[in-house]
Amino acid sequence: FEVTVISDGYIDFPYELFTGAAPADAKAAGDAVFAAGSNGIRASFSTWLINDGERYILVDSGPAGTVSPTTGWLPGTLESLGVPASSIDAVILSHAHVDHIAGMVTGGRNNYPNAEVYINRRNVATYTDPAMLARAPAITHSSFAATEQLVALYPRLQQIDGNREISRGVSVFDLSGHTPGQIGVKIEDAGESLLLV
């Protein structure tokens, strides 16, 4: 297996966002660990590309410009690696927050037309439930909209439950907590394993 970490870009969280510390102290703490960006603490959005020698499996698809204008790098990076979106055989979505699924639906399109798509059923149920949307904070509304698009644009979407093998040596496991039904990915080969969380 070959696993490539691909960044979809980054966001700078304003220093004023961090509670319990003055903005100058938050900046100093960020500087000390090389985490300070131009305008705040820098966080990146990572995806993974798994190549098992026969198939390409993408884990998450990034925010694709939704949460920051400095995102949306994944498609170009895939192209530069010689792996256009049409070559992706499967996509595993760890959970339905917009910074993990927007790349699937950006432009109102099915951006991975040849892929089987896997996501936990509880995530889809949560982020397509009108009652949940009605009481959810406004910052999460984009996740609800992106999940609705995901369901509409991907007829091969597989809503899965619990632990499951996706392909030879690649399986998913429950990581519920951050969202209901969040999943991680386990790659196993020749007695060794790697967890993507």
Side-chain angles (χ1 to χ4, degrees):
F1 289 89
E2 176 186 70
V3 180
T4 306
V5 181
I6 302 174
S7 174
D8 193 51
Y10 65 90
I11 188 171
D12 287 348
F13 290 107
Y15 297 116
E16 295 76 21
L17 181 70
F18 297 91
T19 59
D25 294 334
K27 181 179 184 327
D31 288 339
V33 295
F34 308 100
S38 302
N39 302 301
I41 300 296
R42 182 155 294 174
S44 65
F45 300 97
S46 296
T47 65
W48 296 279
L49 179 66
I50 303 167
N51 177 358
D52 70 2
E54 297 175 6
R55 307 176 74 211
Y56 287 110
I57 302 169
L58 185 65
V59 180
D60 288 340
S61 66
T66 56
V67 299
S68 170
T70 52
T71 61
W73 301 353
L74 177 61
T77 302
L78 287 172
E79 288 284 343
S80 72
L81 293 171
V83 184
S86 60
S87 295
I88 301 296
D89 299 291
V91 180
I92 300 169
L93 298 169
S94 63
H95 62 292
H97 282 163
V98 72
D99 56 318
H100 293 260
I101 68 170
M104 302 296 292
V105 298
T106 188
R109 295 184 313 271
N110 174 328
N111 292 311
Y112 296 93
N114 299 317
E116 298 282 344
V117 181
Y118 301 88
I119 189 170
N120 185 276
R121 183 180 318 279
R122 289 182 291 160
N123 251 248
V124 174
T126 298
Y127 288 98
T128 57
D129 181 348
M132 292 291 289
L133 174 61
R135 63 179 188 262
I139 194 170
T140 66
H141 289 188
S142 59
S143 296
F144 285 84
T147 305
E148 292 280 354
Q149 281 189 296
L150 182 73
V151 171
L153 292 171
Y154 287 85
R156 295 167 63 189
L157 181 70
Q158 296 191 39
Q159 298 180 43
I160 60 177
D161 298 298
N163 299 350
R164 176 174 172 173
E165 185 175 68
I166 302 301
S167 66
R168 176 194 57 82
V170 179
S171 59
V172 297
F173 58 94
D174 185 65
L175 275 179
S176 294
H178 181 58
T179 66
Q182 178 168 339
I183 55 179
V185 177
K186 184 176 188 178
I187 303 168
E188 295 179 278
D189 187 44
E192 296 185 317
S193 64
L194 174 68
L195 302 181
L196 306 179
V197 297

